[in-house]
Amino acid sequence: EGGKGARGEPFMDYLMHGWAPDDPRRLEVLQSWLGLSVHVGVRFGHALALRTHGGPVEAVCICYPPDCLEGGVAFEVGSDRWLYGTSRSQAYPLQDMLKRHPDLHKRFVSLEMAELDKRHKEVPPHWFIDFLGVCPSKRGLQRGKIFLNLVAQWARETKTPCYLECGDVNVPIYQKSGFDVIWTERLEDEPGNFITVHGMLRPPEQ
């Protein structure tokens, strides 16, 4: 998104706190994390891309069926899946970025110590929407809704709920698609730098 991170992606805003909007490191971090997530999604779940008439990618969704999660989550830092994804992301290896940017590393460690994965692991078997992103020029055109409806259909077929995590700005969007907030957590590592994360669940019958 023009190097400015992703709207409604609280983790990216938190990790890159204090960096100027045009700081090239922003795009590197976003590409690094997304690259890792896409490679893991392709190998262990579903990585979906939406194009119109063979044009550029307009939206991306990474999701996992209930039986494709690792210990209840997509992947954990340091796990075999994590190492697989980082090894495949050659453009901007995340480990190298953490070494080069101490402030990024500090916030990354703080985020891991918060153990948000524990919240996820408490959710009953579900389809997990790990990432849903729409190009800025295509927002408001129901691109994300297409993916939400598709994953919801798969969830109905397996009679399991859908689960995702998001920031404040996207809560109303997902509520319109039948998701309810089941937990909320606010984290702050320094004054002015905090994230509010919401876990949201969509019942299978919706």
Side-chain angles (χ1 to χ4, degrees):
E1 188 181 337
K4 297 182 181 179
R7 184 186 68 174
E9 178 44 70
F11 303 104
M12 292 296 103
D13 291 339
Y14 172 80
L15 289 172
M16 298 183 288
H17 177 71
W19 293 5
D22 59 351
D23 191 322
R25 294 178 299 174
R26 283 182 168 270
L27 185 57
E28 289 183 12
V29 171
L30 186 59
Q31 290 177 326
S32 176
W33 186 261
L34 182 56
L36 186 159
S37 298
V38 167
H39 283 298
V40 175
V42 168
R43 176 67 178 82
F44 301 101
H46 300 290
L48 312 172
L50 181 65
R51 303 172 186 265
T52 300
H53 304 302
V57 173
E58 299 176 359
V60 173
C61 177
I62 302 170
C63 59
Y64 295 84
D67 58 353
C68 290
L69 294 172
E70 181 182 53
V73 295
F75 57 84
E76 293 185 295
V77 175
S79 68
D80 288 344
R81 288 190 182 186
W82 163 270
L83 295 174
Y84 171 84
T86 54
S87 69
R88 299 282 293 183
S89 303
Q90 297 298 322
Y92 301 101
L94 188 58
Q95 296 98 318
D96 292 347
M97 297 194 66
L98 294 176
K99 291 178 182 178
R100 287 190 284 116
H101 307 302
D103 53 343
L104 179 66
H105 182 265
K106 181 191 72 171
R107 295 181 186 123
F108 189 85
V109 171
S110 176
L111 195 59
E112 287 303 307
M113 290 179 65
E115 299 183 325
L116 293 180
D117 282 349
K118 282 189 174 181
R119 296 275 204 170
H120 188 176
K121 292 178 180 180
E122 293 171 353
V123 179
H126 58 276
W127 273 81
F128 176 43
I129 300 176
D130 184 38
F131 179 87
L132 179 61
V134 179
C135 292
S137 62
K138 299 300 180 180
R139 288 179 182 154
L141 300 177
Q142 304 294 306
R143 298 301 192 262
K145 183 77 170 179
I146 292 173
F147 285 135
L148 290 174
N149 289 343
L150 176 61
V151 179
Q153 177 59 38
W154 290 340
R156 280 193 294 270
E157 293 172 359
T158 57
K159 298 181 180 180
T160 53
C162 296
Y163 172 79
L164 56 80
E165 295 169 358
C166 68
D168 288 334
V169 69
N170 281 336
V171 168
I173 295 174
Y174 294 127
Q175 286 176 329
K176 292 178 182 178
S177 292
F179 286 84
D180 296 314
V181 174
I182 59 172
W183 61 263
T184 298
E185 184 134 358
R186 177 186 167 107
L187 305 174
E188 184 172 9
D189 80 318
E190 60 186 69
N193 186 32
F194 64 89
I195 55 173
T196 302
V197 184
H198 305 275
M200 302 191 71
L201 196 70
R202 184 184 193 277
E205 65 274 10
Q206 297 233 3

